[in-house]
Amino acid sequence: MTEERNVYSIVTPQIEQLAQLCHKSDIIDSELYTRFDVKRGLRDLNGKGVLTGLTHISKITATKEVNGQTLPEDGELYYRGINVKELIKGSTTENRFAFEEVAYLLLFGQLPNKKELEEFKEALFFYRSLPTGFVRDIIMKAPSKDMMNTLSRSVLTLYSYDDNPDDTSLPNVLRQCMSLIALFPELAIYGYQAYNHYHEGNSLFIHPPRTDLSTAENILYLLRPDSQYTELEAKILDICLILHMEHGGGNNSSFTTHLLSSSLTDTYSVMAAAIGSLKGPRHGGANIKVVRMFEDMENSLSDWTDDDQVREYLEKLLAGEAFDKAGLIYGVGHAVYSKSDPRAQIFKRFVEQMAHEKGYDKEYALYDKVATLAPQIIAEKRRMYKGVSVNVDFYSGFVYKMLGLPMELYTPIFAMARIVGWSAHRMEELANNGKIIRPAYKAIGPDMPYVPMNKRI
C-alpha cells in the first residue's frame, strides 16, 4: 500500500525560488574568513581546535613537542586522567562489565570501590522505570522512522513528568542525569520496536527492563525478541559503550551541552539538543556510512582479497566516482587524531575475536585491508596537514552488524553511551557557574537604506 504523501512536506517551485534568494543573500566569500582571521569550525588552518574552555573530564592527545616543533604521535584518550586502554584492560582482565564503573569515574572524578560501585549501580538501576503509560501514550503514538528523533522527543516529553524540571541545582541535575542514563536504552529500543511494528509490519516486542543486568546486557535483553545473548556479545557491547562515553569537551555534542547549560536551561532541553547534534552524519551518524560503504564495496569487487581491486575502489571513492559520490572514505581520518585513534586500536582486537566467532573472517580481512590501504591512498591523493588513520566509527558499525543490531539503532547506541559524557560536562558547567557562552560573529554586509513599498521593484 502506497502511503499518501503529506502535501506540507512537498518542496514547491515557490519554495525552491525563495531558497535561491536565501543562498544568494547568505553566501560569504571564503577569502573573507582569511582576511578577518575567522577560524571556521573553531579550528585553525592546521586543524587545531580553538581553546574555548577548560575541563577535568577527559583529555585527548595526538601530538608531541620536539625541539619547538609539534609532531604527530599515536593518539591517547584519558577519562579523568586514566588512560581508557587501562580501563578496558582492567575490566577484561577482571572479567566484569565496566560501563557503570566508568560512568561513576566520569561523573564523580574517581574510580569507585566495590561498595561505592554497588550503591551507584543500585541507584542508577532504580531509574530504569518509565512513567506509567509513557510507552503507550508517547512512544507508540506517531512512531518516527528516525530513532534519534524519537529519542529526542521522548527526552523532551519527560520534562512534563518531572516535579522539578527547571531546578539547576547540582543534586537535582544529577538526579535527572542519572535517570536519563538509565532510560536511554528503553527510550531508543522501544521507539525502534514501535517503528518496526507500525512501519515495517513486524511483530511488536516490549520487554520490561531488568534491574539485575548491566547496561550492555539490558540493551540486548530489551532488543532481541527472545532476550538471549552470549557473554562475548554483551562484553563487546560494554566495551563499545565505554569507548563512546566521552571524547573531550570540544566535540560537537559535548560543546552543545556546555553551550546550552551556560544559559541555565533545563536538563531535558540540553540533552535533546545534544542528541540533535550527535544525529548528524559528521558526528555520530558516521558509522552507518561506513557499513553502507563496505556493503557497496563488497558488491562491487569480484575478489575482496585482491589489493589492486580494493585500491581501485578506494581511489574511486576519493574521486567521487563510487558509493555516494561524496569523495570520502568513511571511517578514515579524525579532526584530532593523526597517526592512530586509540579507540580504533582497542576495538580491533575485540572485533577480530567476534568476527571469528560469528563467521565474518572474510569481511574482517577486507576491513583490515582497507585500514592499511586507505591512509596510504589519502596521503597520495590529498594534501594533508597531518596523517590519517582509521577512527572508532570504522569498526563500530561492523561490530553492531555482527551483533545483529538494526542500523536504525547504531547512532542511538552512541547516544546511550555519550549521555554519560554529556551529563559530566553539564555538571561541570553548572558547578563552575560560568558566563553564558556567547562567541562573536562579524557582520560583513553593507548598510542599506530603507526603501518605501511604492518604490520597490
Side-chain angles (χ1 to χ4, degrees), residues 277-288:
S277 166
L278 188 69
K279 177 189 173 184
R282 289 182 174 178
H283 193 3
N287 55 20
I288 295 175

Side-chain angles (χ1 to χ4, degrees), residues 189-190 193 197 202-207 222-226:
I189 291 170
Y190 291 165
Q193 301 290 21
H197 176 63
N202 296 315
S203 297
L204 179 63
F205 295 93
I206 301 293
H207 302 307
L222 291 173
L223 178 61
R224 292 182 172 174
D226 62 2

Side-chain angles (χ1 to χ4, degrees), residues 43 60 247 332-338 341 343 385-393:
R43 309 197 70 76
I60 304 164
H247 207 239
V332 183
H334 190 269
V336 178
Y337 298 121
S338 55
D341 181 337
R343 301 167 300 172
Y385 61 82
K386 65 181 180 66
V388 293
S389 60
V390 297
N391 58 45
V392 68
D393 295 313

Side-chain angles (χ1 to χ4, degrees), residues 100 121-122 124-129 182 185-186 190 206-223 226-229:
E100 294 77 21
K121 287 165 66 174
E122 185 178 339
L124 191 64
F125 296 169
F126 166 78
Y127 291 111
R128 282 183 183 169
S129 180
E186 290 167 63
Y190 291 165
I206 301 293
H207 302 307
R210 284 174 50 177
T211 57
D212 60 331
L213 298 179
S214 69
T215 298
E217 291 174 299
N218 196 53
I219 290 170
L220 295 174
Y221 176 86
L222 291 173
L223 178 61
D226 62 2
S227 293
Q228 300 300 305
Y229 53 87

